[in-house]
């Protein structure tokens, strides 16, 4: 298992572009624990690296992943694309993994292409631009009272879901980047939207201080 991980890392660091995605325990990136990471740099082929799983599951040690993949994820020469990459960026940062070289967010691209559309999640992007029905989160975690956290999902179900996320993100990047170029929105994406992502990330991680009395007085004034 460890030797396979080392072979994977050797291949990853040689790439010039890859899709990266995280699986976690919460939709709130400031509370989420990292469950695993998925990568894709070749259409139809992706990799899932579990760091948490059900009791008895074979997983990688987070410290080992951090030590081995940290320099690669921080290498701007290995360009990264993601879906709602700000979420993954926050999660990785909180777990001691620096991310650099992020060049594209498929969610932002979908929004720029069609800002009036309500849904820009990966499932919708796959349907709209790739004519592909994805495995949904509920497909692997269950629904309602029977739902479990992703860390409790067996690896044989978690891996295909996580790998598809990375694979679809890479495919969507190739399609959406072309559409942005056709619509004259490439510069807006590159020079405005993407540089704003780490700014918003730092703001969300830092939080804000609220003058409660001042806000109350302002509310009365507006009223």
């Amino acid at each position: 298992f460890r030797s396979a991980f080392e072979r994977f890392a050797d291949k990853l660091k040689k790439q010039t572009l890859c899709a990266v995605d995280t699986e976690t325990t919460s939709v709130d990136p400031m509370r989420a624990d990292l469950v695993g990471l998925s990568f894709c740099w070749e259409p139809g082929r992706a990799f899932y690296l579990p760091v948490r799983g059900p009791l008895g599951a074979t997983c990688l040690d987070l410290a080992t992943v951090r030590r081995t993949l940290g320099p690669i994820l921080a290498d701007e020469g290995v360009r990264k694309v993601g879906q709602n990459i700000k979420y993954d960026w926050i999660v990785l940062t909180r777990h001691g993994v620096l991310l650099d070289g992020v060049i594209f967010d498929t969610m932002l691209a979908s929004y720029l292409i069609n800002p009036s559309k309500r849904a820009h999640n990966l499932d919708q992007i796959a349907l709209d631009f790739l004519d592909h029905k994805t495995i949904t989160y509920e497909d692997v975690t269950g629904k309602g009272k029977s739902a479990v956290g992703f860390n409790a999902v067996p690896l044989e179900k978690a891996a295909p879901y996580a790998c598809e996320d990375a694979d679809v993100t890479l495919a969507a990047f190739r399609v959406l980047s072309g559409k942005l170029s056709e619509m004259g929105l490439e510069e807006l994406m590159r020079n405005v939207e993407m540089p704003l992502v780490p700014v918003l990330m730092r703001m969300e991680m830092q939080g804000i201080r609220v003058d409660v009395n001042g806000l109350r007085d302002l509310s009365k004034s507006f009223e």
Side-chain angles (χ1 to χ4, degrees), residues 16-28:
T16 57
L17 176 77
C18 72
V20 58
D21 185 54
T22 61
E23 301 302 339
T24 68
T25 58
S26 172
V27 295
D28 182 348

Side-chain angles (χ1 to χ4, degrees), residues 6-220:
E6 291 172 352
R7 290 196 301 273
F8 162 81
D10 285 338
K11 290 182 180 180
L12 178 62
K13 67 183 179 183
K14 296 174 183 177
Q15 304 307 314
T16 57
L17 176 77
C18 72
V20 58
D21 185 54
T22 61
E23 301 302 339
T24 68
T25 58
S26 172
V27 295
D28 182 348
M30 290 299 291
R31 291 185 170 88
D33 290 325
L34 183 65
V35 176
L37 302 97
S38 55
F39 297 86
C40 180
W41 57 80
E42 179 184 340
R45 190 180 188 212
F47 301 84
Y48 179 57
L49 312 178
V51 297
R52 283 172 178 256
L55 187 64
T58 302
C59 296
L60 291 162
D61 176 64
L62 180 57
T64 301
V65 172
R66 188 188 297 121
R67 183 173 58 252
T68 305
L69 296 188
I72 304 173
L73 290 170
D75 183 1
E76 63 179 10
V78 182
R79 297 174 298 157
K80 291 91 177 175
V81 301
Q83 163 70 12
N84 188 18
I85 193 67
K86 176 162 61 67
Y87 174 91
D88 307 284
W89 211 330
I90 292 174
V91 171
L92 290 172
T93 301
R94 286 183 47 248
H95 285 79
V97 179
L98 300 180
L99 190 61
D100 204 351
V102 177
I103 64 163
F104 200 89
D105 187 322
T106 50
M107 183 183 75
L108 291 178
S110 175
Y111 173 78
L112 288 180
I113 291 168
N114 190 354
S116 63
K117 192 174 183 63
R118 293 184 62 185
H120 299 279
N121 55 63
L122 193 60
D123 295 339
Q124 193 62 52
I125 289 172
L127 283 174
D128 291 345
F129 298 100
L130 304 174
D131 194 26
H132 175 73
K133 176 70 171 65
T134 58
I135 305 168
T136 69
Y137 186 76
E138 289 184 340
D139 287 338
V140 295
T141 60
K143 300 179 181 180
K145 293 182 179 179
S146 62
V148 298
F150 200 85
N151 55 307
V153 175
L155 293 184
E156 58 267 23
K157 292 180 66 177
Y161 169 82
C163 285
E164 184 185 53
D165 275 359
D167 185 31
V168 169
T169 297
L170 183 66
F173 158 70
R174 300 189 188 284
V175 173
L176 296 178
S177 57
K179 289 189 176 294
L180 289 177
S181 181
E182 292 172 7
M183 299 172 68
L185 297 171
E186 191 175 24
E187 187 174 342
L188 175 63
M189 180 70 167
R190 182 177 62 250
N191 297 332
V192 178
E193 296 294 344
M194 290 311 301
L196 187 59
V197 174
V199 176
L200 294 175
M201 178 196 73
R202 289 192 293 270
M203 290 172 64
E204 288 185 23
M205 294 189 74
Q206 182 67 26
I208 62 171
R209 179 174 293 172
V210 176
D211 180 343
V212 177
N213 292 328
L215 190 62
R216 186 179 295 116
D217 291 342
L218 188 62
S219 178
K220 290 178 181 177

